[in-house]
Amino acid sequence: MSEPKDPAAPLADWLRARYGEAIPAVAAQNDTLRSMARHRTMRHYLDRPVDPALVRTLCAVALAAPSKSDLQQADIVIVEDAGQRAALAALLPDNPWARAAPAFLVFCGNNRRQRRVHELRGHGFANDHLDAFFNAAVEAGIVLGTFVAAAESLGLATCPISAIRNHADEVAKVLTLPPHVFPVAGLCVGWPSGFTAMTPRLPLAATIHTDRHDDTALDAHIAEYDARRDAEKPLRARRRDDLFGAHQPYTWSEDKARQYAQPERTGWGAFVRRIGFRLD
Amino acid sequence: MSEPKDPAAPLADWLRARYGEAIPAVAAQNDTLRSMARHRTMRHYLDRPVDPALVRTLCAVALAAPSKSDLQQADIVIVEDAGQRAALAALLPDNPWARAAPAFLVFCGNNRRQRRVHELRGHGFANDHLDAFFNAAVEAGIVLGTFVAAAESLGLATCPISAIRNHADEVAKVLTLPPHVFPVAGLCVGWPSGFTAMTPRLPLAATIHTDRHDDTALDAHIAEYDARRDAEKPLRARRRDDLFGAHQPYTWSEDKARQYAQPERTGWGAFVRRIGFRLD
């Protein structure tokens, strides 16, 4: 089922369009939930600036999101300078929207403040293992997700750019990221130009579990999703037919398997260790 | 400055209370932003159930959040069964609200589906390195943050539980998590009982950067925050005075340095490797 025409359509209609199944109707719903349910990544923007005060306000709203043990381990770099924008855009040739977006931000994990707190208070940091990196990464994700939800609720369009990590050393140099601070994702922000259809998602039986995790029906869920997605929002850009052949239909699972059949970000772990993290 | 009395107070008032500084006023604001700006973790709940259909709806809304490369790598386990709840609560003796909360969920990263897609399509997975784990962890964070924002917009109270990872092997056993699926955080959900004050946050100059990351004023930012926080929401529960002495005032930085001066989750990396991840 395709998405409703009216942005104010009931939440259940948005969720049915997203997941291809009926969700039990609940009385509680509001504009926040409807906006989140309507989420879509948008890569085309009007030639109209986003007020810098609004960007900063959205950052402040996003940084109010939950913080693990109150450690506040996420940073946001707002990239405004044209030279800085160009230096980042040059690292993202496959993401031309990163150059074109009226506003561009980089969400970072920051475990440096915590380590400095230990130095200042004279208590040794006894947790120099995977958890330190993990907590900062997840927190940056929480702040990013909150920013996107906040921005979309105002009608803004966003596009996260994880390719920012494809060249983490260069990005860290451009943004002068110090040790123990790492980029998680860039984010394009602008006012949307044109219509972008909502992307269907896997059936909820694949992602929501009750009491125990159970994915015994995973193959069937993937097949159902491939078919539904191909019917509602077929993938147009094909990857590497030269290498893999012109498989038909060109499904989500075919596309994802082709994407990750080729190495990506193989230097990410080495970068993370180079900036000071132990991942034991 | 303490928080406004009226939940519908202007966004700028909420942000000023949160960060201790004036934020340039913007015309664009709405209930979504105000609710996010008012965020607080709440650990005390009314003895009133949360409609299971509402919990499921909030999960569906949260799973509509941005997904890296559309890989959909987050899962949610809704734990309803009393025996399952008790088994998890027994692992969380320092989090009694995990036992008392009307609803309890576990947010997981799932890199298993992606690997299965490769098997189904016959294209080898060429990215068995840190990035695979990282992407699933960040995505679970995005979904968790979105869930919390959605729930709070309806007046629900939540409390994330990262201590769920203190006993990751046992949690994985209770929830029958398969290889390449890992818990990121638990989440208590209920209708709030009583008032919980908003927690101030670091000044935005510490967490928002323009064009380049710059934390040369970090020590001053921490000192300012320690003082502001002690004035507005002093920390009451002191950690390990027996070990560290009765330092006064008992500031945020003192508390955090004490918390992480003692090892926590040292087995997390070993668990992650044991369930199949390479973190190279």
Side-chain angles (χ1 to χ4, degrees), chain B residues 108-152:
Chain B
C108 300
N110 181 330
N111 183 240
R112 175 174 162 92
R113 265 192 298 275
Q114 183 183 13
R115 291 171 194 252
R116 182 62 184 154
V117 159
H118 281 263
E119 289 173 2
L120 291 170
R121 302 304 322 155
H123 305 310
F125 181 57
N127 288 279
D128 198 2
H129 51 78
L130 180 62
D131 193 57
F133 173 67
F134 183 88
N135 288 332
V138 169
E139 186 148 327
I142 291 171
V143 171
L144 170 64
T146 306
F147 186 102
V148 169
E152 289 191 349

Side-chain angles (χ1 to χ4, degrees), chain A residues 142-188:
Chain A
I142 291 172
V143 171
L144 170 64
T146 306
F147 186 102
V148 168
E152 290 190 348
S153 80
L154 296 176
L156 282 162
T158 66
C159 178
I161 306 285
S162 49
I164 201 100
R165 292 186 281 110
N166 292 13
H167 305 281
D169 277 304
E170 292 86 339
V171 167
K173 191 172 172 190
V174 169
L175 300 180
T176 63
L177 302 184
H180 298 113
V181 177
F182 54 95
V184 169
L187 190 74
C188 305

